[in-house]
Amino acid sequence: MTTKLSRIAQKRWISSTTSTSNMYDPRVFREPITDVQELRKPLDVDDERNFLFVKAMKSDATPVFYRDHVIDKLIRVCTKDGEKETSRRNVHSALEIIKRRQYKAWTKMSSQTVEQLSGFEKQYSLQTAEITSKIGRVHTLPSSERAGAVQDIRRNLEEVNDLLDQMELVVRELESNTTERTKYELRVRSYQSDKKQLDTELEKAIRRVREEADRDELLAFDDQLDEHRQEDQLIANTQRLERSTRKVQDAHRIAVETEQIGTEMLSNLASQRETIGRSRDRLRQSNADLGRANKTLGSMIRRAIQNRLLLLIVTFLLSFMFLYIVYKAI
């Protein structure tokens, strides 16, 4: 194999044929490598490109990083009167303007996100400070107010949990693998651990109140807690029913809109069917007219041929008679 390729290598030349479609002789030229990963790999020992010429790369197939096939195609489409360099500058300027505007919008969005997170952090600090103070005052309150205070603290903790969920969603809008996102993700995790600690402190305060209270106060405290839990459960069930009612109403509205769209589509299909039927009748009539016209043309052609034959026969007879008369006259 190597000897054969060496012999071919000694006779390398550019084709001298008159063909304009390919200036490279396929016997001594091979296709170039346009993939960057393939270019980085060494050629095999028996690869023909070690001994033969390689064709020049096309401008739209070059593997360089600063060329893009889509942009090159856009430049060719925008080129007018052969001014390709002018078109190239215009396209690159437009892409630069678009990129600057995107960067400006991204910077503005990032600043707004950071401001929103700062507001959430301030709100979180105020709520957690208030919850901590309320937990510390639970055992000092009268027995009749303790259950209400505990339920109030639990509602505040639920609000803090919702706030942390909002912060987590906002942090996800930041660009990944950046210092800002990493910083706020760590802060959110820290806030979530602080919230769990507040839950633990509330449970400890409730156990402390139960340990200090006597039997009657403990029963009253548990009854109040149950009442507040039932109230919260009723409120949650009412909200759930309202959401379900809204979903049913939305589904009914979508069903009505779908029915209207279906009715319109059926009417459109009926009108299109009538149009297709009329078109089919017209095609049939046109086909019949074309058949009659074809028959008429055939009869006209036959008559023309007959007339031509009669004319030839008459001409031949007249010529014969003329020759006969001339012969008799001689």
Side-chain angles (χ1 to χ4, degrees), residues 10-193:
Q10 294 174 1
K11 299 180 180 180
R12 294 188 286 188
W13 70 89
I14 298 178
S15 177
S16 59
T17 59
T18 58
S19 176
T20 58
S21 61
N22 187 8
M23 63 177 295
Y24 299 104
D25 192 330
R27 292 173 294 178
V28 293
F29 282 91
R30 294 296 178 263
E31 295 294 332
I33 300 175
T34 58
D35 186 58
V36 179
Q37 300 297 332
E38 293 294 331
L39 282 173
R40 292 174 180 173
K41 297 179 181 178
L43 294 175
D44 296 334
V45 178
D46 296 334
D47 197 323
E48 296 179 349
R49 282 167 292 197
N50 289 321
F51 309 97
L52 303 179
F53 287 113
V54 178
K55 297 179 183 179
M57 292 183 183
K58 296 181 180 179
S59 60
D60 58 348
T62 176
V64 294
F65 69 92
Y66 53 84
R67 295 293 297 274
D68 188 271
H69 298 174
V70 178
I71 296 176
D72 289 341
K73 186 176 181 180
L74 178 61
I75 291 170
R76 288 196 298 271
V77 171
C78 297
T79 301
K80 184 178 180 182
D81 298 332
E83 297 292 337
K84 192 170 183 179
E85 290 301 324
T86 304
S87 177
R88 188 188 303 277
R89 287 195 297 271
N90 293 335
V91 171
H92 288 173
S93 299
L95 293 175
E96 185 179 358
I97 292 171
I98 293 171
K99 192 64 179 178
R100 288 182 182 276
R101 290 185 178 179
Q102 288 178 346
Y103 178 75
K104 186 176 180 180
W106 175 79
T107 305
K108 183 178 180 181
M109 184 183 66
S110 299
S111 61
Q112 291 177 354
T113 304
V114 171
E115 291 178 359
Q116 189 176 7
L117 289 172
S118 300
F120 285 157
E121 287 181 332
K122 292 179 181 178
Q123 187 177 358
Y124 171 80
S125 300
L126 293 174
Q127 289 182 353
T128 52
E130 184 180 0
I131 291 171
T132 303
S133 62
K134 286 182 179 180
I135 291 174
R137 294 195 305 268
V138 167
H139 67 282
T140 60
L141 295 175
S143 59
S144 59
E145 298 178 0
R146 291 176 180 175
V150 170
Q151 291 302 118
D152 190 16
I153 293 171
R154 286 178 175 172
R155 282 193 291 269
N156 292 335
L157 287 173
E158 290 178 358
E159 292 177 357
V160 170
N161 192 19
D162 295 337
L163 181 62
L164 292 176
D165 292 337
Q166 292 180 4
M167 288 180 67
E168 190 173 3
L169 292 175
V170 173
V171 169
R172 291 178 183 176
E173 295 179 359
L174 294 173
E175 188 177 359
S176 59
N177 298 326
T178 57
T179 56
E180 290 291 332
R181 179 163 179 171
T182 305
K183 178 179 70 175
Y184 282 105
E185 284 179 350
L186 293 174
R187 288 186 181 180
V188 170
R189 293 195 191 98
S190 176
Y191 295 154
Q192 289 173 350
S193 62

Side-chain angles (χ1 to χ4, degrees), residues 112-328:
Q112 291 177 354
T113 304
V114 171
E115 291 178 359
Q116 189 176 7
L117 289 172
S118 300
F120 285 157
E121 287 181 332
K122 292 179 181 178
Q123 187 177 358
Y124 171 80
S125 300
L126 293 174
Q127 289 182 353
T128 52
E130 184 180 0
I131 291 171
T132 303
S133 62
K134 286 182 179 180
I135 291 174
R137 294 195 305 268
V138 167
H139 67 282
T140 60
L141 295 175
S143 59
S144 59
E145 298 178 0
R146 291 176 180 175
V150 170
Q151 291 302 118
D152 190 16
I153 293 171
R154 286 178 175 172
R155 282 193 291 269
N156 292 335
L157 287 173
E158 290 178 358
E159 292 177 357
V160 170
N161 192 19
D162 295 337
L163 181 62
L164 292 176
D165 292 337
Q166 292 180 4
M167 288 180 67
E168 190 173 3
L169 292 175
V170 173
V171 169
R172 291 178 183 176
E173 295 179 359
L174 294 173
E175 188 177 359
S176 59
N177 298 326
T178 57
T179 56
E180 290 291 332
R181 179 163 179 171
T182 305
K183 178 179 70 175
Y184 282 105
E185 284 179 350
L186 293 174
R187 288 186 181 180
V188 170
R189 293 195 191 98
S190 176
Y191 295 154
Q192 289 173 350
S193 62
D194 293 341
K195 193 261 178 184
K196 291 180 181 179
Q197 187 175 359
L198 289 175
D199 292 335
T200 305
E201 291 180 359
L202 177 61
E203 295 299 328
K204 290 181 180 179
I206 292 173
R207 285 197 299 269
R208 181 180 177 185
V209 169
R210 286 177 177 176
E211 290 174 357
E212 293 178 354
D214 55 11
R215 184 174 180 280
D216 296 334
E217 291 180 354
L218 182 60
L219 292 175
F221 179 72
D222 292 337
D223 293 338
Q224 290 177 359
L225 286 178
D226 293 336
E227 290 177 0
H228 287 292
R229 287 197 189 96
Q230 291 176 0
E231 290 178 359
D232 294 338
Q233 189 174 2
L234 288 174
I235 292 172
N237 292 332
T238 304
Q239 293 177 353
R240 193 178 296 110
L241 287 174
E242 290 178 353
R243 289 195 296 270
S244 302
T245 303
R246 287 196 295 269
K247 290 181 179 179
V248 171
Q249 292 175 352
D250 293 338
H252 182 265
R253 177 177 55 80
I254 293 171
V256 172
E257 293 177 355
T258 306
E259 185 179 1
Q260 293 177 355
I261 294 171
T263 305
E264 293 177 357
M265 291 179 64
L266 288 175
S267 62
N268 292 332
L269 290 173
S271 62
Q272 291 176 5
R273 183 178 181 181
E274 293 176 357
T275 303
I276 292 171
R278 290 193 297 269
S279 300
R280 184 175 57 187
D281 296 337
R282 291 174 183 173
L283 287 174
R284 289 177 179 174
Q285 185 65 29
S286 300
N287 190 18
D289 294 338
L290 288 173
R292 288 193 295 269
N294 191 15
K295 291 179 181 179
T296 304
L297 287 173
S299 62
M300 291 175 66
I301 290 171
R302 287 193 299 271
R303 288 178 184 177
I305 293 171
Q306 291 173 0
N307 294 332
R308 189 177 183 86
L309 290 173
L310 290 173
L311 181 62
L312 290 173
I313 293 170
V314 170
T315 305
F316 177 76
L317 291 175
L318 290 174
S319 300
F320 182 76
M321 290 176 66
F322 177 75
L323 293 174
Y324 181 76
I325 293 169
V326 170
Y327 177 75
K328 287 291 184 180

